[in-house]
Amino acid sequence: MQHNTSAYTNDARIGDNQNVTTKGVSVLTALVGSGESDNRAFRELVEALPVAIYTTDAEGRLTYFNAAATKLSGRTPELGTDKWCVTWKMFLPDGTLLPHDQCPMALALKGADVPTGIECIAERPDGTRFWFSPCPAVVRNAEGRITGGINLLTDITDRKNAEIEANEQFRAIVETTPECVKIVASDGTLLFMNTPGLDMVEAPSPEAVTGKNVYDIIAADDRDRFREFNERVCRGEKGSLQFDIVGLKGARRHMETHAAPLRHVDGSTVDLAVTRDITARQRAESAALLLSAIVDSSDDAIISKDLDGIITSWNKSAERMFGYTAAEAIGRPVAALLIPRDRLDEEPQILARLKRGERVDHFETIRLRKDGGRIDISLTISPVRDAHGVVTGASKIARDISESKRIQAALLASESRFRQLADTMPQFVWTARADGYVDYYNERWYEYTGFSHDASGDSSWKEILHPEDMQGALESYSAAIDSGQPFNMEYRLIDGRENRWRWFVGRAVPVRDAEGTIVKWFGTTTDIDEQKRVQDDLRRANADLEQFAFSASHDLQEPLRSVKIYSELLATRHGDTIDGEAGQFLTYIRKGATRMEMLVRDLLTYTQVTRVEATDETADGAEVLDNVLDSLSEAISESGAKITADPLPRLSAHAVHLQQIFQNLIGNAIKYRSPDRQPVVHLAAERQNANWIISVSDNGIGIDPAYKENVFGLFKRLHTNDEYSGTGIGLAICQRIVDRYHGRIWVESEPGRGSTFRFTLPV
Ligand code: ADP
């Protein structure tokens, strides 16, 4: 189908005029045929007619023309010479030259059937042109032979010009409208589409879509609806429809069409539609829907008002917060509804700021509920502008801050309680932010340092820290902050009043929120100067004492040996002569010397425990046990003791130390045996975390539970020397050794049944 808008002009006048003309011509033809044309009256009549009329003979030579023909054609033809037509030059409507011998009159004279309604253009000798519609007819004689012709030319220039103008207007309208104008046949064939339409369907040229089926560009899910709609319009109904198209390049658009039936030139009814791309509108609509859903789901009251303070919108939360429904609130002034009497002056100020285009941020105030209750709210008010940027109203977001106000008050109260408490503490109490910045010190700090409350900032502690402790303190503080592990360190701070360094222990622990994130550090700094001094004194005194005990016991050995040797000599060489009381005294001297020797030896061992340098060596328990059993072999065989042991592990201790422990515990197990039974001693080892627990069990006399702790003390004995010989140092040595390895020693016993000594040593 050709894109020719003139084909669709629907003008009934053309046909009617043509009919009249055709009838007139046949009457004239009949008159001419019957010879009436020579009649004077006939000629006068034809002369007076306002339509151009001429006649020809059978060969087409002009035989007559009236005045109207001269006027229309702009020339006076030569009768008998000019052929076919009165006009000077003829053209077809498309502008091509139409030779006279092919004009409708010529065709009619040559016997062809010439249709009515033909439109032609003629040019006058002066170059002006006019539109006319010929209506040629032939005159036949009684035999039916063509004897001449008569033609009647109707000037249709005015109508044609109006028609062309209308066409141009139509075309201009169709092409300038931003909407898609299209004509679709009932079977879906696209007959016409304007340029904006072509753009919408992404067609590079009209040929890409015209003549093709328009259903192909309708989205598959809308295609049936569209087809049904198109068919309905083609049956004569008007209507509108929304549907999606998928353009030739794949873009999907949402369209809205308004269609009306149109009678086509071929008599069928087609669908003339004006279609609008409403994709953006639809998006805006859904965005607006989304926005209103957001507004409704907000916990904050969202209210809008005009510049007179009249409420124009009111969301669900506003209803919850203030108790008024949207219907009750909209249209009423904010001031009358929500603002307490004592705050009425706020509204004019707010409105004045809004009119200046200013925003009001987080304005904390009080508003009234419908039930008269007051609520603390925070207001954020922004001006709303129209498309020209003129402020027309305001949108207001109100947040209920009653709860946060309450929490804030509670916080303040707890903070002040904390400060009061902190100020009564003898320590320095401080807090730091999560990043370690100290943001609070208690009064004690300011009293001690003499710093002013605001002058020194968080690093004030550095100013009074001992230079030697600086590096370590900075490192361990930042390590604690980075790792979240508690901070614990001893350092010295200057004591300005006494002008000397004092020792402190600083401790800080992180405070975490519900998610476990550190929000603060809580720290104390405690004066340990006195304690440190006492400790140092004690350590020094202990060291002195140890040194003394060591030298004393060491130096005692020499004179002791002399006493022993000479009392021995006295007994062996002069034993016969010494008798009675003197002999008795000599025996006492010898016993005393032997006992003194034992004491000195054990004491020396005791003092030497801490002299053995710490070592990375480990001791093989089984090997050590063998050595001990060797050195105790005499006592074992004398007592008939049975000694058993589970496999013993290697222990992180000096072999000498392990040997001393075994020697003392096994020696005691044999010494404190029951007179009623064979002594049985068993050694066992059991692992507990990073330690071994070694046990030495016997079936001896046992220990009264009241003395369980006592027996490990220096010189502590439960028996006299006459009952069991001993110095009361053995278990003290064991205790001292175990202490040195940060272990523990203890005894479990049932008097009369036996004892189990246990001690721990590192793996
Ligand atoms: P002593 O030189 O007296 O043996 P110890 O320090 O070795 O000194 O022991 C302290 C005291 O503990 C002993 O005098 C004894 O009364 C008690 N004692 C130690 N081992 C045992 C044991 N296996 N059975 C009973 N009593 C014991």
mmCIF file of all heavy atoms in Angstrom, residues 677-714:
data_model
loop_
_atom_site.group_PDB
_atom_site.id
_atom_site.type_symbol
_atom_site.label_atom_id
_atom_site.label_comp_id
_atom_site.label_asym_id
_atom_site.label_seq_id
_atom_site.Cartn_x
_atom_site.Cartn_y
_atom_site.Cartn_z
ATOM 1 N N ARG A 677 54.233 -53.765 109.108
ATOM 2 C CA ARG A 677 54.212 -54.370 107.777
ATOM 3 C C ARG A 677 55.422 -53.971 106.952
ATOM 4 O O ARG A 677 56.099 -52.973 107.248
ATOM 5 C CB ARG A 677 52.929 -53.975 107.025
ATOM 6 C CG ARG A 677 52.660 -52.489 107.047
ATOM 7 C CD ARG A 677 51.280 -52.160 106.481
ATOM 8 N NE ARG A 677 51.046 -50.727 106.572
ATOM 9 C CZ ARG A 677 50.263 -50.161 107.487
ATOM 10 N NH1 ARG A 677 49.628 -50.892 108.398
ATOM 11 N NH2 ARG A 677 50.111 -48.836 107.511
ATOM 12 N N GLN A 678 55.585 -54.744 105.913
ATOM 13 C CA GLN A 678 56.698 -54.472 104.994
ATOM 14 C C GLN A 678 56.412 -53.162 104.271
ATOM 15 O O GLN A 678 55.298 -52.962 103.781
ATOM 16 C CB GLN A 678 56.801 -55.602 103.954
ATOM 17 C CG GLN A 678 57.979 -55.410 103.020
ATOM 18 C CD GLN A 678 57.771 -56.161 101.687
ATOM 19 O OE1 GLN A 678 56.703 -56.714 101.447
ATOM 20 N NE2 GLN A 678 58.809 -56.170 100.868
ATOM 21 N N PRO A 679 57.394 -52.262 104.258
ATOM 22 C CA PRO A 679 57.139 -51.017 103.556
ATOM 23 C C PRO A 679 57.013 -51.218 102.040
ATOM 24 O O PRO A 679 57.841 -51.899 101.451
ATOM 25 C CB PRO A 679 58.338 -50.150 103.897
ATOM 26 C CG PRO A 679 59.348 -51.028 104.528
ATOM 27 C CD PRO A 679 58.741 -52.343 104.873
ATOM 28 N N VAL A 680 55.953 -50.660 101.483
ATOM 29 C CA VAL A 680 55.742 -50.731 100.025
ATOM 30 C C VAL A 680 55.629 -49.277 99.509
ATOM 31 O O VAL A 680 54.816 -48.509 100.013
ATOM 32 C CB VAL A 680 54.460 -51.510 99.684
ATOM 33 C CG1 VAL A 680 54.204 -51.477 98.186
ATOM 34 C CG2 VAL A 680 54.573 -52.950 100.186
ATOM 35 N N VAL A 681 56.484 -48.964 98.555
ATOM 36 C CA VAL A 681 56.485 -47.586 98.021
ATOM 37 C C VAL A 681 56.218 -47.660 96.507
ATOM 38 O O VAL A 681 56.791 -48.518 95.826
ATOM 39 C CB VAL A 681 57.849 -46.913 98.282
ATOM 40 C CG1 VAL A 681 57.824 -45.460 97.793
ATOM 41 C CG2 VAL A 681 58.201 -46.966 99.755
ATOM 42 N N HIS A 682 55.303 -46.750 96.035
ATOM 43 C CA HIS A 682 55.013 -46.780 94.587
ATOM 44 C C HIS A 682 55.076 -45.360 94.018
ATOM 45 O O HIS A 682 54.541 -44.417 94.574
ATOM 46 C CB HIS A 682 53.624 -47.371 94.339
ATOM 47 C CG HIS A 682 53.321 -47.468 92.876
ATOM 48 N ND1 HIS A 682 53.954 -48.372 92.054
ATOM 49 C CD2 HIS A 682 52.459 -46.750 92.093
ATOM 50 C CE1 HIS A 682 53.504 -48.196 90.801
ATOM 51 N NE2 HIS A 682 52.592 -47.220 90.817
ATOM 52 N N LEU A 683 55.768 -45.270 92.850
ATOM 53 C CA LEU A 683 55.847 -43.974 92.160
ATOM 54 C C LEU A 683 54.980 -44.023 90.905
ATOM 55 O O LEU A 683 54.983 -45.028 90.188
ATOM 56 C CB LEU A 683 57.296 -43.659 91.750
ATOM 57 C CG LEU A 683 58.192 -43.128 92.870
ATOM 58 C CD1 LEU A 683 58.810 -44.284 93.665
ATOM 59 C CD2 LEU A 683 59.282 -42.239 92.285
ATOM 60 N N ALA A 684 54.280 -42.932 90.672
ATOM 61 C CA ALA A 684 53.438 -42.879 89.460
ATOM 62 C C ALA A 684 53.503 -41.469 88.854
ATOM 63 O O ALA A 684 53.880 -40.514 89.534
ATOM 64 C CB ALA A 684 51.994 -43.231 89.814
ATOM 65 N N ALA A 685 53.152 -41.381 87.574
ATOM 66 C CA ALA A 685 53.148 -40.069 86.893
ATOM 67 C C ALA A 685 51.845 -39.925 86.118
ATOM 68 O O ALA A 685 51.363 -40.878 85.501
ATOM 69 C CB ALA A 685 54.315 -39.970 85.926
ATOM 70 N N GLU A 686 51.300 -38.746 86.184
ATOM 71 C CA GLU A 686 50.016 -38.512 85.490
ATOM 72 C C GLU A 686 50.092 -37.122 84.846
ATOM 73 O O GLU A 686 50.525 -36.162 85.461
ATOM 74 C CB GLU A 686 48.913 -38.551 86.555
ATOM 75 C CG GLU A 686 47.530 -38.331 86.032
ATOM 76 C CD GLU A 686 46.560 -38.035 87.211
ATOM 77 O OE1 GLU A 686 46.849 -38.472 88.353
ATOM 78 O OE2 GLU A 686 45.561 -37.356 86.965
ATOM 79 N N ARG A 687 49.668 -37.058 83.588
ATOM 80 C CA ARG A 687 49.783 -35.778 82.861
ATOM 81 C C ARG A 687 48.543 -34.920 83.117
ATOM 82 O O ARG A 687 47.419 -35.413 83.023
ATOM 83 C CB ARG A 687 49.912 -36.096 81.365
ATOM 84 C CG ARG A 687 49.877 -34.912 80.449
ATOM 85 C CD ARG A 687 51.254 -34.405 80.178
ATOM 86 N NE ARG A 687 51.177 -33.193 79.369
ATOM 87 C CZ ARG A 687 51.603 -33.118 78.115
ATOM 88 N NH1 ARG A 687 52.157 -34.168 77.537
ATOM 89 N NH2 ARG A 687 51.519 -31.979 77.440
ATOM 90 N N GLN A 688 48.779 -33.658 83.427
ATOM 91 C CA GLN A 688 47.626 -32.751 83.569
ATOM 92 C C GLN A 688 47.998 -31.430 82.904
ATOM 93 O O GLN A 688 48.832 -30.680 83.396
ATOM 94 C CB GLN A 688 47.313 -32.527 85.038
ATOM 95 C CG GLN A 688 45.966 -31.864 85.224
ATOM 96 C CD GLN A 688 45.701 -31.566 86.694
ATOM 97 O OE1 GLN A 688 46.449 -30.830 87.320
ATOM 98 N NE2 GLN A 688 44.649 -32.153 87.225
ATOM 99 N N ASN A 689 47.364 -31.210 81.745
ATOM 100 C CA ASN A 689 47.692 -30.037 80.912
ATOM 101 C C ASN A 689 49.192 -29.943 80.659
ATOM 102 O O ASN A 689 49.780 -30.893 80.168
ATOM 103 C CB ASN A 689 47.146 -28.760 81.541
ATOM 104 C CG ASN A 689 45.641 -28.837 81.732
ATOM 105 O OD1 ASN A 689 44.950 -29.451 80.922
ATOM 106 N ND2 ASN A 689 45.132 -28.248 82.789
ATOM 107 N N ALA A 690 49.806 -28.819 81.072
ATOM 108 C CA ALA A 690 51.230 -28.634 80.757
ATOM 109 C C ALA A 690 52.122 -29.162 81.887
ATOM 110 O O ALA A 690 53.313 -28.858 81.932
ATOM 111 C CB ALA A 690 51.499 -27.163 80.513
ATOM 112 N N ASN A 691 51.534 -29.914 82.787
ATOM 113 C CA ASN A 691 52.309 -30.401 83.936
ATOM 114 C C ASN A 691 52.252 -31.907 84.065
ATOM 115 O O ASN A 691 51.313 -32.551 83.579
ATOM 116 C CB ASN A 691 51.739 -29.804 85.233
ATOM 117 C CG ASN A 691 52.095 -28.341 85.359
ATOM 118 O OD1 ASN A 691 53.231 -27.933 85.087
ATOM 119 N ND2 ASN A 691 51.112 -27.541 85.741
ATOM 120 N N TRP A 692 53.252 -32.422 84.738
ATOM 121 C CA TRP A 692 53.183 -33.822 85.200
ATOM 122 C C TRP A 692 52.892 -33.792 86.679
ATOM 123 O O TRP A 692 53.440 -32.963 87.413
ATOM 124 C CB TRP A 692 54.521 -34.539 84.965
ATOM 125 C CG TRP A 692 54.731 -34.948 83.521
ATOM 126 C CD1 TRP A 692 55.547 -34.368 82.628
ATOM 127 C CD2 TRP A 692 54.106 -36.053 82.866
ATOM 128 N NE1 TRP A 692 55.490 -34.999 81.416
ATOM 129 C CE2 TRP A 692 54.599 -36.053 81.537
ATOM 130 C CE3 TRP A 692 53.172 -37.022 83.236
ATOM 131 C CZ2 TRP A 692 54.201 -36.998 80.597
ATOM 132 C CZ3 TRP A 692 52.790 -37.960 82.287
ATOM 133 C CH2 TRP A 692 53.292 -37.938 80.978
ATOM 134 N N ILE A 693 52.042 -34.691 87.123
ATOM 135 C CA ILE A 693 51.869 -34.847 88.574
ATOM 136 C C ILE A 693 52.566 -36.171 88.939
ATOM 137 O O ILE A 693 52.177 -37.237 88.451
ATOM 138 C CB ILE A 693 50.387 -34.944 88.992
ATOM 139 C CG1 ILE A 693 49.638 -33.693 88.485
ATOM 140 C CG2 ILE A 693 50.250 -35.084 90.490
ATOM 141 C CD1 ILE A 693 48.143 -33.728 88.784
ATOM 142 N N ILE A 694 53.601 -36.042 89.739
ATOM 143 C CA ILE A 694 54.331 -37.256 90.168
ATOM 144 C C ILE A 694 53.890 -37.575 91.596
ATOM 145 O O ILE A 694 53.788 -36.669 92.437
ATOM 146 C CB ILE A 694 55.865 -37.007 90.159
ATOM 147 C CG1 ILE A 694 56.304 -36.348 88.842
ATOM 148 C CG2 ILE A 694 56.622 -38.291 90.450
ATOM 149 C CD1 ILE A 694 56.272 -37.236 87.634
ATOM 150 N N SER A 695 53.608 -38.855 91.855
ATOM 151 C CA SER A 695 53.198 -39.208 93.228
ATOM 152 C C SER A 695 54.117 -40.294 93.795
ATOM 153 O O SER A 695 54.592 -41.167 93.067
ATOM 154 C CB SER A 695 51.740 -39.669 93.233
ATOM 155 O OG SER A 695 51.602 -40.792 92.392
ATOM 156 N N VAL A 696 54.352 -40.150 95.099
ATOM 157 C CA VAL A 696 55.130 -41.174 95.829
ATOM 158 C C VAL A 696 54.222 -41.625 96.980
ATOM 159 O O VAL A 696 53.920 -40.846 97.873
ATOM 160 C CB VAL A 696 56.450 -40.571 96.373
ATOM 161 C CG1 VAL A 696 57.225 -41.635 97.144
ATOM 162 C CG2 VAL A 696 57.269 -39.986 95.239
ATOM 163 N N SER A 697 53.736 -42.899 96.882
ATOM 164 C CA SER A 697 52.793 -43.389 97.905
ATOM 165 C C SER A 697 53.495 -44.432 98.782
ATOM 166 O O SER A 697 54.288 -45.236 98.273
ATOM 167 C CB SER A 697 51.590 -44.063 97.274
ATOM 168 O OG SER A 697 51.141 -43.304 96.194
ATOM 169 N N ASP A 698 53.170 -44.372 100.093
ATOM 170 C CA ASP A 698 53.720 -45.425 100.975
ATOM 171 C C ASP A 698 52.604 -45.995 101.827
ATOM 172 O O ASP A 698 51.477 -45.502 101.810
ATOM 173 C CB ASP A 698 54.860 -44.857 101.826
ATOM 174 C CG ASP A 698 54.413 -43.761 102.765
ATOM 175 O OD1 ASP A 698 53.354 -43.937 103.441
ATOM 176 O OD2 ASP A 698 55.076 -42.687 102.817
ATOM 177 N N ASN A 699 52.936 -47.065 102.540
ATOM 178 C CA ASN A 699 51.947 -47.674 103.446
ATOM 179 C C ASN A 699 52.416 -47.522 104.891
ATOM 180 O O ASN A 699 52.260 -48.402 105.713
ATOM 181 C CB ASN A 699 51.715 -49.145 103.088
ATOM 182 C CG ASN A 699 52.994 -49.960 103.175
ATOM 183 O OD1 ASN A 699 54.092 -49.360 103.280
ATOM 184 N ND2 ASN A 699 52.913 -51.285 103.167
ATOM 185 N N GLY A 700 53.080 -46.329 105.121
ATOM 186 C CA GLY A 700 53.693 -46.097 106.424
ATOM 187 C C GLY A 700 52.721 -45.594 107.484
ATOM 188 O O GLY A 700 51.514 -45.844 107.405
ATOM 189 N N ILE A 701 53.288 -44.822 108.440
ATOM 190 C CA ILE A 701 52.494 -44.431 109.615
ATOM 191 C C ILE A 701 51.470 -43.335 109.302
ATOM 192 O O ILE A 701 50.529 -43.113 110.051
ATOM 193 C CB ILE A 701 53.406 -43.963 110.775
ATOM 194 C CG1 ILE A 701 54.264 -42.769 110.319
ATOM 195 C CG2 ILE A 701 54.272 -45.114 111.292
ATOM 196 C CD1 ILE A 701 55.047 -42.113 111.461
ATOM 197 N N GLY A 702 51.682 -42.639 108.194
ATOM 198 C CA GLY A 702 50.708 -41.595 107.825
ATOM 199 C C GLY A 702 50.932 -40.307 108.615
ATOM 200 O O GLY A 702 51.760 -40.250 109.520
ATOM 201 N N ILE A 703 50.172 -39.278 108.215
ATOM 202 C CA ILE A 703 50.332 -37.960 108.837
ATOM 203 C C ILE A 703 48.965 -37.455 109.270
ATOM 204 O O ILE A 703 47.985 -37.547 108.515
ATOM 205 C CB ILE A 703 50.949 -36.966 107.829
ATOM 206 C CG1 ILE A 703 52.356 -37.412 107.413
ATOM 207 C CG2 ILE A 703 50.987 -35.545 108.379
ATOM 208 C CD1 ILE A 703 52.963 -36.631 106.272
ATOM 209 N N ASP A 704 48.937 -36.941 110.446
ATOM 210 C CA ASP A 704 47.688 -36.346 110.949
ATOM 211 C C ASP A 704 47.319 -35.178 110.020
ATOM 212 O O ASP A 704 48.146 -34.291 109.787
ATOM 213 C CB ASP A 704 47.948 -35.843 112.379
ATOM 214 C CG ASP A 704 46.693 -35.277 113.025
ATOM 215 O OD1 ASP A 704 45.777 -34.863 112.260
ATOM 216 O OD2 ASP A 704 46.640 -35.250 114.258
ATOM 217 N N PRO A 705 46.054 -35.159 109.482
ATOM 218 C CA PRO A 705 45.683 -34.098 108.519
ATOM 219 C C PRO A 705 45.963 -32.692 109.058
ATOM 220 O O PRO A 705 46.209 -31.775 108.284
ATOM 221 C CB PRO A 705 44.183 -34.304 108.311
ATOM 222 C CG PRO A 705 43.926 -35.707 108.695
ATOM 223 C CD PRO A 705 44.954 -36.116 109.711
ATOM 224 N N ALA A 706 45.944 -32.510 110.356
ATOM 225 C CA ALA A 706 46.182 -31.181 110.933
ATOM 226 C C ALA A 706 47.568 -30.651 110.574
ATOM 227 O O ALA A 706 47.798 -29.448 110.585
ATOM 228 C CB ALA A 706 46.025 -31.241 112.447
ATOM 229 N N TYR A 707 48.489 -31.564 110.264
ATOM 230 C CA TYR A 707 49.871 -31.124 110.006
ATOM 231 C C TYR A 707 50.246 -31.207 108.523
ATOM 232 O O TYR A 707 51.417 -31.124 108.185
ATOM 233 C CB TYR A 707 50.853 -31.965 110.857
ATOM 234 C CG TYR A 707 50.544 -31.853 112.322
ATOM 235 C CD1 TYR A 707 50.017 -32.929 113.032
ATOM 236 C CD2 TYR A 707 50.761 -30.644 113.004
ATOM 237 C CE1 TYR A 707 49.709 -32.816 114.377
ATOM 238 C CE2 TYR A 707 50.457 -30.525 114.349
ATOM 239 C CZ TYR A 707 49.923 -31.604 115.031
ATOM 240 O OH TYR A 707 49.616 -31.486 116.364
ATOM 241 N N LYS A 708 49.246 -31.410 107.694
ATOM 242 C CA LYS A 708 49.497 -31.585 106.253
ATOM 243 C C LYS A 708 50.318 -30.446 105.647
ATOM 244 O O LYS A 708 51.143 -30.660 104.758
ATOM 245 C CB LYS A 708 48.151 -31.645 105.492
ATOM 246 C CG LYS A 708 47.713 -33.049 105.243
ATOM 247 C CD LYS A 708 46.362 -33.217 104.605
ATOM 248 C CE LYS A 708 45.892 -32.071 103.774
ATOM 249 N NZ LYS A 708 44.603 -32.378 103.118
ATOM 250 N N GLU A 709 50.045 -29.215 106.104
ATOM 251 C CA GLU A 709 50.759 -28.063 105.542
ATOM 252 C C GLU A 709 52.094 -27.889 106.257
ATOM 253 O O GLU A 709 53.107 -27.574 105.623
ATOM 254 C CB GLU A 709 49.939 -26.769 105.730
ATOM 255 C CG GLU A 709 48.483 -26.874 105.334
ATOM 256 C CD GLU A 709 48.291 -26.916 103.830
ATOM 257 O OE1 GLU A 709 49.133 -26.354 103.098
ATOM 258 O OE2 GLU A 709 47.318 -27.557 103.369
ATOM 259 N N ASN A 710 52.018 -28.131 107.572
ATOM 260 C CA ASN A 710 53.179 -27.882 108.430
ATOM 261 C C ASN A 710 54.442 -28.598 108.006
ATOM 262 O O ASN A 710 55.528 -28.040 108.078
ATOM 263 C CB ASN A 710 52.844 -28.390 109.839
ATOM 264 C CG ASN A 710 52.539 -27.220 110.752
ATOM 265 O OD1 ASN A 710 52.438 -26.105 110.269
ATOM 266 N ND2 ASN A 710 52.408 -27.479 112.036
ATOM 267 N N VAL A 711 54.274 -29.844 107.625
ATOM 268 C CA VAL A 711 55.449 -30.703 107.387
ATOM 269 C C VAL A 711 56.404 -30.140 106.341
ATOM 270 O O VAL A 711 57.576 -30.513 106.324
ATOM 271 C CB VAL A 711 55.037 -32.138 106.978
ATOM 272 C CG1 VAL A 711 54.450 -32.883 108.177
ATOM 273 C CG2 VAL A 711 54.085 -32.125 105.799
ATOM 274 N N PHE A 712 55.874 -29.197 105.491
ATOM 275 C CA PHE A 712 56.760 -28.648 104.441
ATOM 276 C C PHE A 712 57.585 -27.448 104.942
ATOM 277 O O PHE A 712 58.394 -26.890 104.218
ATOM 278 C CB PHE A 712 55.946 -28.234 103.200
ATOM 279 C CG PHE A 712 55.271 -29.410 102.544
ATOM 280 C CD1 PHE A 712 53.939 -29.698 102.769
ATOM 281 C CD2 PHE A 712 56.016 -30.243 101.706
ATOM 282 C CE1 PHE A 712 53.335 -30.800 102.171
ATOM 283 C CE2 PHE A 712 55.406 -31.334 101.099
ATOM 284 C CZ PHE A 712 54.060 -31.620 101.337
ATOM 285 N N GLY A 713 57.322 -27.024 106.210
ATOM 286 C CA GLY A 713 58.056 -25.885 106.761
ATOM 287 C C GLY A 713 59.471 -26.284 107.180
ATOM 288 O O GLY A 713 59.748 -27.447 107.478
ATOM 289 N N LEU A 714 60.358 -25.290 107.232
ATOM 290 C CA LEU A 714 61.759 -25.533 107.602
ATOM 291 C C LEU A 714 61.824 -25.933 109.085
ATOM 292 O O LEU A 714 61.190 -25.282 109.924
ATOM 293 C CB LEU A 714 62.549 -24.249 107.342
ATOM 294 C CG LEU A 714 64.063 -24.332 107.201
ATOM 295 C CD1 LEU A 714 64.488 -25.335 106.127
ATOM 296 C CD2 LEU A 714 64.627 -22.948 106.867
#
